[in-house]
Structures are given as structure tokens and as C-alpha cells.
């Protein structure tokens, strides 16, 4: 009664918020999605989706089908990978999730290189300001920067990444240069909201011992690193930003690193893989290229 195409179709539905959203993901019309869903429900004799206005939710039976469909499709994909590996072939579809800025500048070129090396591969790169919020069954590899909470995932460390407190020379000329974390209370601060972290609590450790922490009241806040960096360059305030994003600006003198001797917690760059996908040939080969990128640390 069910085949792998049915299961794949329903998994797309299960991950969508509306039928229109599902139609976009499937590249078909909403009416085609409605018709196919109706045919599937008729064959099974049960309702799979509850519709409330434009929104939809899985019924209990729909949840059960989605749970088993994820496992079955995962097993089929894993089997295909193992058979391809026996032939020495890297093939299939790779789904990668990465933070917006880092994904644009460093992950996208790796995917292009991967595709050139393995023409049998297709790939999707999803750039998000909250990649950690995405369900593990919707991606193969996630690039994550910062605090890691889900220990069920397999982690591959790619590169060390410091967080740096910095500001534009124009701001420091106008407002003065802070010498101690406590001085930051008298300054305008820019908050970058990402990964659901507590971004207004800035913690510092001194190289010779001692700690300091303060809760900032942001003068400006944004969920996009590029925008926050532009504000800092324009002299709008102090910014805590990853080394990979501001290293060039610090070398050029367009931003200045502050509070020498005081360090913020590192935000290492890692690749995360769901344990059931860790043996995929395409995943392993892609991780190899990511490690090369991390070892080279182009931002340094």
C-alpha cells in the first residue's frame, strides 16, 4: 500500500507548516499536494493531517507514520550509501545547514569543491540564523559555531574560533577606550542574537586569573552578523564577534580589539552529524573537505 515515494512525500508534509510551504518544497502546486495527500489518506483509510485555516498539524496516525517513515527512509538511504561505497562511488544528495555569514563565505565554496570532485553528488545548503533549531532528520551535516547543547550528535571540531570584543576607532575617539569589563556599563553595546544563546550576558576571564561578567542593555540588536558588524564599523558601539568574521577588519585597523588580557569564551567551529548518518560515504568525504578548510583557517 505504501512505497518509498509515499514516505518521502509525507516526510516533506510533516516538516512543512502549511500545504503551500510543502508545495514549494516539492516544487508542485498546492492543489497537487492536496490531491496526493487525499489519495494517500484514502488508501490508508485514516486521516494524516488536521487542517486549521492555513495551518496544519499531524494527527496521531500522521505522527506514527512520520516516525516510521524517517527510520525507513534513513535505512534505505544508508543501504544505498553502503552499496555505493562498495563500488567506490560517492553519490546521493547531501543536505547541509550552516550559519548565514559563515555559510556564505566558507561553507558554500567547500560544497562547490565537493561537487566538482564528485559529480554524482547533488547538494542543498540551507543558511539560517538559528541552525540549531532545525530537526536532525532534515539535514546530513550542520555547521555550528558556539555553545553546543545536543550531545546526541556526533561532533567533528573544524577550527578554533575566538570571540573578540571590538569597536571602530571613530567610536573609541568619541567615547574613550574601556580598560576593564566594568567600564562597559558606560558604553553603547551591540548584541548579536543567534543560536538562542544568552547574548546580553558577557563573561570574561583574565589571562592571569580572575573573572568578570556583566549584563548589557543593548543600544542596538540584530540577528544578522553582517548587520551587527556594519554597525560596529560605523562607530555605533562595542561588539562581541567571532574571530573568523572580524580578523580582516582588525588587521586593516577598521576595528580595534579591546580589553587586552581579558578573554571571552571561545566559539569553536564544529560540524555535527546525526549518529545514524555518520557512516555515509558522501558525509565522510564532505567532512574531509571541511577539516581541510578548518585546518587552513583562511580568516587567519
Amino acid at each position: 500500500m505504501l512505497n518509498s515515494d509515499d514516505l518521502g512525500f509525507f516526510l516533506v508534509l510533516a516538516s512543512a507548516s502549511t500545504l503551500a510551504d510543502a508545495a514549494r518544497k516539492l516544487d508542485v502546486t498546492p492543489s497537487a499536494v492536496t490531491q496526493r495527500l487525499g489519495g494517500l489518506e484514502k488508501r490508508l483509510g485514516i486521516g494524516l493531517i488536521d487542517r486549521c485555516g492555513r495551518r496544519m498539524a499531524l494527527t496521531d496516525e500522521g505522527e506514527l507514520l512520520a516516525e516510521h517513515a524517517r527510520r525507513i527512509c534513513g535505512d534505505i538511504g544508508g543501504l544505498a550509501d553502503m552499496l555505493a561505497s562498495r563500488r567506490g562511488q560517492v553519490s546521493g544528495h547531501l543536505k547541509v545547514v550552516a550559519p548565514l555569514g559563515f555559510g556564505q563565505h566558507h561553507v558554500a565554496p567547500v560544497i562547490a569543491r565537493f561537487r566538482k570532485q564528485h559529480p554524482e553528488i547533488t547538494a542543498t545548503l540551507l543558511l539560517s540564523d538559528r541552525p540549531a533549531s532545525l530537526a536532525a532528520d532534515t539535514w546530513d551535516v550542520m555547521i555550528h559555531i558556539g555553545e553546543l547543547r545536543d550531545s546526541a550528535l556526533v561532533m567533528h571540531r573544524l577550527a578554533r574560533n575566538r570571540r573578540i570584543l571590538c569597536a571602530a576607532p571613530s567610536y573609541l575617539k568619541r567615547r574613550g577606550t574601556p580598560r576593564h569589563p566594568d567600564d562597559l556599563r558606560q558604553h553603547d553595546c551591540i548584541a548579536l542574537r543567534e543560536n538562542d544563546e544568552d547574548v546580553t550576558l558577557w563573561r570574561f576571564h583574565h589571562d592571569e586569573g580572575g573573572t568578570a561578567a556583566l549584563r548589557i542593555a543593548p543600544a542596538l540588536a540584530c540577528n544578522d552578523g553582517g548587520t551587527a558588524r556594519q554597525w560596529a564599523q560605523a562607530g555605533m558601539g562595542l561588539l562581541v564577534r567571532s574571530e573568523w568574521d572580524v580578523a580582516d577588519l582588525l588587521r586593516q585597523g577598521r576595528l580595534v580589539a579591546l580589553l587586552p588580557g581579558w578573554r571571552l569564551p571561545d566559539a569553536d567551529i564544529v560540524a555535527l552529524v546525526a549518529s545514524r548518518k555518520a557512516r555515509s560515504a558522501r558525509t565522510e568525504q564532505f567532512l574531509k573537505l571541511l577539516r581541510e578548510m578548518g585546518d587552513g583557517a583562511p580568516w587567519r
Side-chain angles (χ1 to χ4, degrees):
M1 295 180 68
L2 288 174
N3 57 40
S4 58
D5 286 343
D6 293 327
L7 298 180
F9 165 75
F10 191 70
L11 284 179
V12 173
L13 274 183
S15 67
S17 57
T18 65
L19 288 175
D21 181 28
R24 283 191 295 270
K25 293 180 178 180
L26 292 166
D27 196 22
V28 297
T29 64
S31 61
V33 173
T34 301
Q35 184 177 2
R36 184 168 181 182
L37 173 60
L40 183 59
E41 291 179 323
K42 184 176 180 180
R43 272 187 286 146
L44 295 176
I46 53 175
L48 300 172
I49 300 287
D50 280 332
R51 301 167 187 80
C52 181
R54 299 178 62 184
R55 310 292 295 181
M56 64 181 189
L58 298 182
T59 64
D60 289 344
E61 293 78 10
E63 292 280 4
L64 182 62
L65 177 59
E67 178 185 347
H68 285 269
R70 291 186 189 100
R71 186 179 70 249
I72 293 168
C73 289
D75 289 342
I76 292 173
L79 177 59
D81 287 334
M82 286 188 284
L83 293 175
S85 298
R86 293 287 184 93
R87 301 194 308 269
Q89 182 184 39
V90 179
S91 61
H93 188 68
L94 181 74
K95 293 172 288 186
V96 182
V97 177
L100 282 166
F102 190 82
Q104 291 172 343
H105 291 285
H106 298 293
V107 180
V110 175
I111 291 179
R113 182 181 168 196
F114 186 54
R115 165 74 177 169
K116 288 179 180 178
Q117 290 184 0
H118 305 286
E120 298 298 319
I121 284 287
T122 59
T124 298
L125 173 61
L126 175 62
L127 301 175
S128 171
D129 63 333
R130 297 177 63 244
S133 66
L134 300 175
D137 59 4
T138 63
W139 48 265
D140 299 308
V141 179
M142 175 187 289
I143 310 303
H144 183 80
I145 301 176
E147 182 182 353
L148 181 61
R149 299 178 182 179
D150 192 342
S151 59
L153 301 172
V154 179
M155 183 184 75
H156 301 264
R157 193 176 304 278
L158 302 178
R160 183 188 174 196
N161 177 53
R162 294 183 300 138
R163 280 188 170 131
I164 298 171
L165 176 68
C166 55
S170 61
Y171 176 87
L172 300 176
K173 182 178 180 179
R174 188 174 76 253
R175 298 290 300 274
T177 300
R179 305 297 178 188
H180 187 277
D182 287 343
D183 297 341
L184 303 183
R185 304 180 194 280
Q186 310 305 317
H187 285 267
D188 294 334
C189 297
I190 301 169
L192 175 58
R193 302 190 183 280
E194 56 185 357
N195 291 336
D196 296 325
E197 294 183 14
D198 188 356
V199 297
T200 62
L201 181 61
W202 290 2
R203 294 187 175 93
F204 297 86
H205 298 265
H206 198 274
D207 292 342
E208 297 180 359
T211 62
L214 75 154
R215 176 74 66 180
I216 65 165
L220 295 169
C222 184
N223 69 332
D224 174 63
T227 300
R229 186 184 64 244
Q230 290 173 6
W231 285 340
Q233 287 179 253
M236 301 302 295
L238 311 181
L239 173 67
V240 170
R241 192 66 183 122
S242 286
E243 175 187 9
W244 73 263
D245 193 35
V246 295
D248 283 345
L249 298 174
L250 294 172
R251 281 191 290 268
Q252 296 163 8
R254 296 164 69 183
L255 290 176
V256 178
L258 304 174
L259 300 184
W262 291 94
R263 297 180 64 87
L264 290 147
D266 287 345
D268 289 346
I269 301 165
V270 301
L272 303 176
V273 184
S275 58
R276 63 183 176 83
K277 299 178 180 178
R279 291 181 295 175
S280 162
R282 63 177 174 272
T283 298
E284 286 301 322
Q285 290 300 313
F286 183 65
L287 287 172
K288 180 180 178 181
L289 291 185
L290 286 175
R291 292 189 194 99
E292 292 176 5
M293 177 272 294
D295 291 341
W299 49 91
R300 298 201 186 110

